[in-house]
Amino acid sequence: QVQLVESGGGLVQAGGSLTLSCAASGLTSRSFGMGWFRQAPGKGREFVSTISWKGVTKTYTDSVKGRFAISRDNAKNTVYLRMNSLKPDDTAVYYCAARNGPYGSTRDDYDYWGQGTQVTVSS
């Protein structure tokens, strides 16, 4: 059974930083892409960032480029999202996702999802 468990969310002031972690277990694929999505109140779930198996390819949605950084530690089956210069518009539930294949930037690309972690940025 595949499990993705996010951690690291919380309340932070605008301009602050947070690092989200996602620990994966039960994945049987030899290589899998990982991604982060977020969902703000009253909005759909949107793509934030994705990373390939070896960490060579990383992509970001335009609104977080230069502020967020995705990384992974395959020995620990963990993916991270370092978020700097946070803005109130970054407030959302952040979800980790995994897929049996290369990286992806749409919800349909992913096979497995975590339960989400709340990030709240105060102005």
Side-chain angles (χ1 to χ4, degrees):
Q1 182 180 355
V2 175
Q3 276 194 316
L4 303 176
V5 180
E6 301 101 333
S7 61
L11 173 64
V12 64
Q13 288 188 330
S17 299
L18 283 173
T19 298
L20 305 183
S21 300
C22 173
S25 61
L27 285 162
T28 58
S29 174
R30 295 186 64 181
S31 63
F32 51 93
M34 301 288 292
W36 287 97
F37 289 72
R38 66 186 180 186
Q39 187 165 10
K43 295 186 178 181
R45 193 171 298 188
E46 66 168 352
F47 168 76
V48 176
S49 182
T50 184
I51 186 168
S52 60
W53 164 248
K54 293 186 177 180
V56 173
T57 301
K58 304 174 184 179
T59 63
Y60 302 90
T61 191
D62 285 346
S63 62
V64 308
K65 284 180 180 177
R67 301 189 297 122
F68 290 12
I70 193 170
S71 61
R72 65 189 295 168
D73 182 341
N74 289 338
K76 297 181 179 180
N77 279 348
T78 300
V79 64
Y80 305 94
L81 186 69
R82 174 65 177 178
M83 305 185 294
N84 296 322
S85 302
L86 283 161
K87 305 174 181 179
D89 284 349
D90 296 317
T91 295
V93 178
Y94 283 70
Y95 296 91
C96 171
R99 69 187 304 250
N100 294 313
Y103 58 95
S105 60
T106 70
R107 291 182 60 178
D108 289 343
D109 288 333
Y110 289 87
D111 305 296
Y112 309 103
W113 294 85
Q115 82 288 351
T117 185
Q118 177 70 47
V119 172
T120 302
V121 184
S122 63
S123 56

